[in-house]
Amino acid sequence: MMLQHKIRDTQLERDQVLQNLGSVESYSEEKAKKVRSEYEKKLQAMNKELQRLQTAQKEHARLLKNQSQYEKQLKKLQQDVMEMKKTKVRLMKQMKEEQEKARLTESRRNREIAQLKKDQRKRDHQLRLLEAQKRNQEVVLRRKTEEVTALRRQVRPMSDKVAGKVTRKLSSSDTPVQDTGSSVAAVETDASRAGAQQKMRIPVARVQALPTPATNGTRKIYQRKGLTGRVFTSKTARMKWQLLERRVTDIIMQKMTISNMEADMNRLLKQREELTKRREKLSRRREKIVKESGEGDKNVVNINEEMESLTANIDYINDSISDCQANIMQMEEAKEEGDTLDVTAVINACTLTEARYLLGHFLSMGINKGLQAAQKESQIKVLEGRLKQTEITSATQNQLLFHMLKEKAELNPELDALLGHALQENVEDSTDEDAPLNSPGSEGSTLSSDLMKLCGDVKPKNKARRRTTTQMELLYADSSELASDTSTGDASLPGPLTAVAEGQESGMNTETSATSARDKELPPPSGFPSKIGSITRSSSLSEKKLPEPSPVTRRKAYEKAEKSKGKEQKQGIINPFPAAKGIRASALQCIHIAEGHAKAVLCVDSTDDLLFTGSKDRTCKVWNLVTGQEIMSLGGHPNNVVSVKYCNYTSLVFTVSTSYIKVWDIRDSAKCVRTLTSSGQVTLGDACSASTSRTVAIPSGENQINQIALNPTGTFLYAASGNAVRMWDLKRFQSTGKLTGHLGPVMCLTVDQISNGQDLIITGSKDHYIKMFDVTEGALGTVSPTHNFEPPHYDGIEALTIQGDNLFSGSRDNGIKKWDLGQKDLLQQVPNAHKDWVCALGVVPGHPVLLSGCRGGILKLWNVDTFVPVGEMKGHDSPINAICVNSTHIFTAADDRTVRIWKARNLQDGQISDSGDLGEDIASN
């Protein structure tokens, strides 16, 4: 409007100027034209500006209209979100009500069951009482029958001589009736054993009545009753003793059970108190974060998830506490029912002879129990003294070790830096609350051995099984000699160190000891390098040799062995595997074996020409399948190489160790071009240095990466770390987001591509669940699962593989399940497919056959369509860790440090074509 007014003013000014020019005498046409043209230019510029402002006004109006529409849509979406939250709250309340109802129903059912058990125990108790009464009646009846029989035999008179002897024996004693009865019973027992029962025929009329001292009046007890009743008195005393002993044992067991239950109750109460404190702490932290940054913060979401998990744990502990309380009440009720046998009444009903019998047994039992308690106390004192001596010795050896290290650190700056770094790591590990409890000397021993390796004093690990390194092995080089000396009880070792060695040997893992025994018995395969034979020979020689040499001699011998070992070290090679005789119908045949790793092979990947293997020896080896030779070894990993993948499109190799993913370019040479971390950081070159420490040190903020997978086009990498899966864009080498939803660590994953270009990621976790994620190209941030496969496994998921529209999952519950990816339903399952964990799955190339490997070293084949077993064989003598296939062969990696290469044969349409004895095949394999 101001511009329009200005235009009008300019026009009026122009007209006025022209009019004034016309009235002036010196008027000229040129001057008027010039003035008019100037004013026309001004007006034209103002009109253009006016048009521009009008266009901007229209655009502004349109934007205001669009903004109002967006605000309406936003309000509608907010209303929808509020409705969904209300629905969620309502559903949660309904779920809690249903859970409460189910819990009440379960508790009522448990009470009914407990009542029925109580009634059953009462009936059983009454039945036992009736049976005992019946037995007592039978005993009384038998005794009466024997008395009648004896009286009938005594009808014939016996001589006065014998009668006089018996009468004298009976009348000469002035002791009470019970003592007399015992002696007479002994006489009668001896007479009956000697066969003189027929000679002692005392007539009933001649039996004299003996005077019996009694406090409550005088009674006459005939001696014949004493003679016959003494036998049954001893039986009654024996029965009463057995009854009392059984009752005492039951009371002790009941009290022990109740004390154990109370200890469990106290432990659960402490756990609940700790979890409640943690939840309150998280709640305060969440309130603080909400005040600072609002509800939308990621930390608030994570804290909410953690609080939900803590609440679930507290509910579980509350259920356990209620179960424990119910069990304690049930035990108390059972004890009250069992108290129907009154011990005091049984003791009061005893005669003097029975009381003496019971007292003697009680004395012997008390002496035995006291002896056992004294023996246990002495053993405990001996063990405490040995423990103190071990601690003193350990402290002394550690001081010596660190003095030696400090001397060497003055000359070696790398050792000085590593010593400080390792000490810092030890402090951090000791202050970590969630760290597992190790043995007192294991951590320091590991640190010391790592530092010794850097100094050049590396000792050869020629031992058949893992065991804790002792301080003597740290100070002196040869560990095999020390092991043999400690095992044979060499007298040259000090007493405390011998005790340490014994404690370590006794505390070893039974599984590893069993494995070592098996390895000792089995001869090495023909294709193995001669290195294994030299190890066994050296260990046998060390067992046979005589007294331990001095430390200087051992160190010199070790340096010679180390030099010779460095000369003899060879590259890996793929050798032909000799076929076993008598195989007629083997579904798979092992044709080659790859040897070269120093420790267990954990992962494997392959193409038609190359093979990639990762091992516990912290290397990834690349093999040429055409020549059968090792091409290169990718080292410098901080710990075990747990996963390896090769990208055909970029010729890049991805290796995983702890929380790092190393990216190798193998086209020119084995060069690490980038290092990716579990937290999403990218570093050019090799950012994680190789570590000689046996302990896994993961930096703060990072997680252990368990497995990686590439999408079919090679543009995205998915890494399972912790409870999530991180997505990596390999075109830019940037982390684009995470796949979340699992409550436990993600152990395995597999990637497929849908027809519309989306990546389909299937993940398996320790929380027993399998989840599906659909990831479109360019997806950023947190991605939630699109489906959760139900029902879950009974234990953690170890392996996943996709074949067509079917998904196969192997678990630690020894079972395999087959899922339909289209319908997302469970099609078939084999609950006990193996006798141990199912660790690896694969599909036989060119055949509709699924291959599964377990921790026991067994390979099994299954028909993909019918899911029936096709074959079974012994793949390895140790756990199978991974299965990989290319277009023609199958590769299995195991703990025996080898990779076996298999070829399918005799398979047609998922069945064995040749009719052979499968059991013979398994035995020969």
Side-chain angles (χ1 to χ4, degrees):
M1 289 177 70
M2 289 171 64
L3 193 57
Q4 287 176 355
H5 289 307
K6 192 173 182 181
I7 289 171
R8 283 198 299 270
D9 293 341
T10 307
Q11 288 175 352
L12 291 174
E13 184 182 354
R14 179 194 63 186
D15 295 338
Q16 189 175 1
V17 169
L18 290 176
Q19 188 177 0
N20 292 334
L21 284 175
S23 63
V24 175
E25 294 178 357
S26 62
Y27 171 76
S28 66
E29 190 67 29
E30 293 179 0
K31 196 173 183 179
K33 284 182 180 180
K34 187 177 180 181
V35 171
R36 187 181 289 109
S37 63
E38 288 177 359
Y39 278 102
E40 287 295 333
K41 287 179 182 178
K42 284 184 180 180
L43 290 172
Q44 191 175 0
M46 289 181 181
N47 285 326
K48 285 182 180 180
E49 184 69 20
L50 180 63
Q51 289 178 0
R52 189 178 64 78
L53 289 174
Q54 287 175 350
T55 306
Q57 185 180 6
K58 290 179 182 178
E59 182 68 20
H60 182 62
R62 188 177 62 80
L63 289 175
L64 287 175
K65 186 178 178 182
N66 290 340
Q67 184 179 1
S68 63
Q69 290 180 357
Y70 291 152
E71 288 176 353
K72 289 179 182 179
Q73 290 181 359
L74 182 62
K75 288 181 180 179
K76 185 179 178 182
L77 292 174
Q78 287 176 349
Q79 289 176 358
D80 293 342
V81 170
M82 292 301 294
E83 290 294 329
M84 291 171 70
K85 286 184 177 179
K86 291 178 181 178
T87 307
K88 178 185 175 184
V89 171
R90 188 173 66 254
L91 290 175
M92 291 294 290
K93 288 182 179 178
Q94 188 176 353
M95 286 172 60
K96 288 183 179 178
E97 290 175 357
E98 294 293 333
Q99 288 179 354
E100 186 66 23
K101 288 180 181 178
R103 192 179 64 79
L104 291 175
T105 306
E106 185 69 21
S107 62
R108 186 171 62 254
R109 191 179 296 114
N110 289 336
R111 284 197 298 270
E112 292 175 356
I113 292 172
Q115 185 63 33
L116 291 174
K117 289 182 178 177
K118 184 177 178 181
D119 296 340
Q120 180 67 25
R121 287 195 296 271
K122 284 183 179 179
R123 286 196 293 270
D124 293 342
H125 186 64
Q126 291 175 359
L127 186 61
R128 285 196 295 271
L129 288 177
L130 292 175
E131 289 177 353
Q133 291 178 2
K134 183 180 178 182
R135 285 196 297 270
N136 291 335
Q137 290 176 357
E138 290 177 353
V139 169
V140 172
L141 182 61
R142 194 180 304 117
R143 189 178 64 189
K144 296 294 184 185
T145 306
E146 291 176 356
E147 288 180 359
V148 171
T149 305
L151 290 174
R152 286 178 179 173
R153 289 176 179 174
Q154 292 168 2
V155 172
R156 285 179 294 178
M158 71 174 178
S159 62
D160 294 336
K161 186 177 180 182
V162 177
K165 286 181 180 179
V166 175
T167 305
R168 279 198 304 274
K169 282 185 180 181
L170 295 177
S171 60
S172 61
S173 63
D174 296 331
T175 57
V177 174
Q178 285 83 355
D179 299 339
T180 309
S182 61
S183 59
V184 175
V187 172
E188 184 177 358
T189 306
D190 295 335
S192 62
R193 287 179 182 175
Q197 189 175 4
Q198 295 181 356
K199 295 181 181 179
M200 295 177 63
R201 297 187 179 91
I202 304 174
V204 181
R206 291 187 182 182
V207 176
Q208 301 289 330
L210 295 177
T212 304
T215 57
N216 299 327
T218 56
R219 291 186 299 157
K220 289 186 177 181
I221 298 177
Y222 290 97
Q223 190 61 32
R224 187 61 207 168
K225 291 184 180 180
L227 286 170
T228 57
R230 181 65 191 94
V231 180
F232 298 104
T233 303
S234 62
K235 289 182 180 179
T236 309
R238 197 180 310 118
M239 288 177 61
K240 287 182 178 179
W241 164 247
Q242 292 174 358
L243 195 64
L244 289 175
E245 186 180 17
R246 195 161 47 240
R247 180 60 189 152
V248 169
T249 306
D250 292 341
I251 291 172
I252 292 171
M253 295 304 295
Q254 285 178 359
K255 289 189 176 182
M256 186 185 299
T257 306
I258 291 174
S259 65
N260 291 336
M261 288 182 179
E262 290 175 350
D264 291 340
M265 174 81 74
N266 293 331
R267 178 178 55 81
L268 291 171
L269 290 173
K270 288 181 181 178
Q271 287 182 359
R272 183 175 66 179
E273 185 178 356
E274 291 175 359
L275 291 176
T276 307
K277 288 181 181 178
R278 284 180 60 187
R279 186 173 63 178
E280 292 174 354
K281 187 176 179 181
L282 286 174
S283 177
R284 291 194 296 270
R285 184 178 169 192
R286 183 184 62 181
E287 292 175 358
K288 185 177 178 181
I289 294 174
V290 168
K291 288 179 182 178
E292 292 176 356
S293 58
E295 288 281 351
D297 195 359
K298 290 183 179 180
N299 293 328
V300 176
V301 178
N302 295 332
I303 290 173
N304 288 334
E305 292 178 358
E306 191 170 355
M307 286 182 66
E308 289 178 1
S309 64
L310 286 176
T311 306
N313 288 337
I314 290 172
D315 293 339
Y316 175 74
I317 289 175
N318 285 332
D319 294 338
S320 301
I321 289 172
S322 60
D323 293 340
C324 195
Q325 288 175 345
N327 291 332
I328 290 175
M329 293 301 297
Q330 188 175 350
M331 288 293 298
E332 293 289 345
E333 291 176 359
K335 187 171 72 171
E336 291 175 0
E337 292 170 12
D339 286 342
T340 53
L341 173 63
D342 192 357
V343 179
T344 309
V346 173
I347 294 175
N348 290 334
C350 291
T351 61
L352 184 57
T353 307
E354 293 173 350
R356 288 176 176 173
Y357 181 83
L358 296 180
L359 184 60
H361 280 78
F362 270 122
L363 283 174
S364 61
M365 186 172 73
I367 292 170
N368 290 332
K369 295 295 183 182
L371 177 62
Q372 292 177 4
Q375 289 176 349
K376 295 292 182 183
E377 288 180 359
S378 64
Q379 290 177 2
I380 290 171
K381 289 180 179 178
V382 170
L383 291 175
E384 287 178 351
R386 190 176 296 176
L387 178 61
K388 290 180 181 178
Q389 188 65 32
T390 304
E391 290 174 354
I392 295 170
T393 308
S394 175
T396 306
Q397 298 296 336
N398 283 332
Q399 289 177 359
L400 291 173
L401 175 66
F402 279 100
H403 282 303
M404 181 186 69
L405 288 175
K406 285 179 182 178
E407 291 176 1
K408 292 205 172 188
E410 294 175 357
L411 303 175
N412 191 346
E414 292 183 1
L415 175 60
D416 195 8
L418 181 59
L419 181 60
H421 179 64
L423 287 174
Q424 184 179 1
E425 284 184 357
N426 262 358
V427 172
E428 291 175 357
D429 291 342
S430 64
T431 56
D432 190 5
E433 294 179 357
D434 299 330
L437 294 175
N438 296 328
S439 60
S442 63
E443 200 165 332
S445 301
T446 306
L447 166 67
S448 307
S449 61
D450 299 338
L451 298 173
M452 291 286 288
K453 288 179 183 176
L454 188 62
C455 297
D457 296 337
V458 187
K459 50 188 175 296
K461 297 183 178 179
N462 295 342
K463 53 180 183 290
R465 56 186 176 186
R466 294 175 296 172
R467 61 187 180 85
T468 309
T469 308
T470 63
Q471 287 81 4
M472 286 294 290
E473 293 173 3
L474 295 174
L475 291 177
Y476 306 118
D478 198 349
S479 63
S480 62
E481 294 174 359
L482 182 62
S484 64
D485 292 335
T486 52
S487 62
T488 54
D490 192 357
S492 62
L493 282 177
L497 290 176
T498 309
V500 172
E502 290 175 358
Q504 289 167 347
E505 287 295 323
S506 62
M508 255 193 269
N509 192 344
T510 56
E511 182 178 349
T512 56
S513 62
T515 308
S516 65
R518 183 183 61 208
D519 293 339
K520 288 178 183 177
E521 292 173 2
L522 292 175
S526 59
F528 274 28
S530 60
K531 184 167 55 178
I532 300 174
S534 65
I535 290 174
T536 55
R537 285 196 298 272
S538 63
S539 62
S540 63
L541 287 173
S542 65
E543 289 176 359
K544 291 179 182 177
K545 73 176 180 177
L546 296 162
E548 176 188 10
S550 65
V552 179
T553 308
R554 280 187 302 181
R555 191 172 290 111
K556 289 180 180 179
Y558 160 70
E559 289 172 357
K560 291 181 182 178
E562 191 69 16
K563 290 178 182 178
S564 62
K565 182 181 175 183
K567 293 178 182 178
E568 293 176 359
Q569 193 171 5
K570 296 180 181 179
Q571 284 190 335
I573 190 169
I574 300 177
N575 294 317
F577 190 83
K581 297 180 180 180
I583 296 181
R584 295 194 300 272
S586 176
L588 293 179
Q589 180 183 3
C590 181
I591 56 175
H592 290 85
I593 182 168
E595 302 163 335
H597 279 291
K599 290 186 179 180
V601 185
L602 301 179
C603 54
V604 62
D605 193 17
S606 71
T607 64
D608 290 341
D609 301 322
L610 297 174
L611 175 67
F612 306 85
T613 57
S615 167
K616 276 189 177 181
D617 61 9
R618 308 183 183 187
T619 63
C620 172
K621 292 186 182 294
V622 185
W623 313 73
N624 190 332
L625 294 177
V626 179
T627 62
Q629 298 290 332
E630 175 191 336
I631 303 174
M632 61 186 71
S633 180
L634 311 178
H637 294 92
N639 213 284
N640 306 337
V641 180
V642 297
S643 185
V644 59
K645 291 294 175 186
Y646 174 71
C647 182
N648 288 314
Y649 301 96
T650 58
S651 298
L652 296 177
V653 180
F654 302 85
T655 59
V656 174
S657 181
T658 61
S659 59
Y660 299 98
I661 304 174
K662 285 192 171 187
V663 186
W664 305 83
D665 190 353
I666 61 171
R667 286 173 292 189
D668 297 332
S669 61
K671 181 181 179 183
C672 180
V673 294
R674 278 181 177 82
T675 304
L676 317 178
T677 66
S678 63
S679 60
Q681 305 297 321
V682 183
T683 308
L684 290 176
D686 191 350
C688 58
S689 60
S691 172
T692 56
S693 174
R694 292 173 62 185
T695 57
V696 180
I698 297 178
S700 59
E702 304 287 346
N703 287 316
Q704 170 77 36
I705 301 177
N706 295 319
Q707 196 173 355
I708 58 173
L710 291 165
N711 67 342
T713 58
T715 56
F716 264 80
L717 174 73
Y718 300 92
S721 61
N723 299 351
V725 177
R726 184 167 291 280
M727 302 182 291
W728 292 91
D729 185 358
L730 297 182
K731 295 178 182 177
R732 299 173 296 167
F733 278 98
Q734 288 183 357
S735 173
T736 59
K738 290 198 298 185
L739 312 179
T740 61
H742 282 289
L743 298 178
V746 181
M747 302 303 295
C748 56
L749 75 161
T750 182
V751 183
D752 199 4
Q753 203 158 34
I754 313 176
S755 57
N756 58 4
Q758 291 182 346
D759 285 343
L760 180 70
I761 297 97
I762 312 292
T763 59
S765 168
K766 266 190 180 179
D767 62 7
H768 310 179
Y769 278 94
I770 303 169
K771 295 183 185 293
M772 176 191 292
F773 299 82
D774 290 334
V775 179
T776 58
E777 189 172 358
L780 299 173
T782 302
V783 180
S784 298
T786 56
H787 183 70
N788 196 19
F789 288 89
E790 296 278 351
H793 280 273
Y794 294 109
D795 207 336
I797 315 298
E798 284 293 312
L800 294 169
T801 187
I802 296 176
Q803 202 271 339
D805 292 331
N806 295 325
L807 168 70
F808 298 91
S809 59
S811 170
R812 292 184 178 185
D813 61 7
N814 307 348
I816 303 175
K817 291 190 177 185
K818 176 183 176 184
W819 310 83
D820 187 355
L821 290 178
Q823 302 296 327
K824 300 179 178 59
D825 289 330
L826 178 64
L827 296 178
Q828 291 165 315
Q829 61 179 339
V830 182
N832 290 313
H834 286 267
K835 294 181 180 179
D836 212 327
W837 292 1
V838 180
C839 297
L841 294 174
V843 179
V844 178
H847 300 282
V849 174
L850 175 73
L851 180 65
S852 63
C854 75
R855 204 166 59 164
I858 301 296
L859 287 173
K860 288 191 177 184
L861 293 95
W862 312 83
N863 190 303
V864 170
D865 299 322
T866 61
F867 219 49
V868 297
V870 176
E872 176 182 348
M873 66 198 64
K874 185 76 172 178
H876 293 264
D877 290 328
S878 58
I880 296 173
N881 297 318
I883 294 176
C884 176
V885 299
N886 60 10
S887 59
T888 54
H889 293 87
I890 301 164
F891 306 89
T892 59
D895 274 2
D896 58 8
R897 303 176 294 181
T898 65
V899 175
R900 294 195 179 187
I901 305 173
W902 307 77
K903 192 172 182 63
R905 64 180 192 130
N906 302 329
L907 281 175
Q908 291 182 0
D909 297 329
Q911 300 291 333
I912 297 179
S913 60
D914 190 9
S915 60
D917 188 6
L918 188 61
E920 181 182 351
D921 177 22
I922 297 170
S924 60
N925 270 337

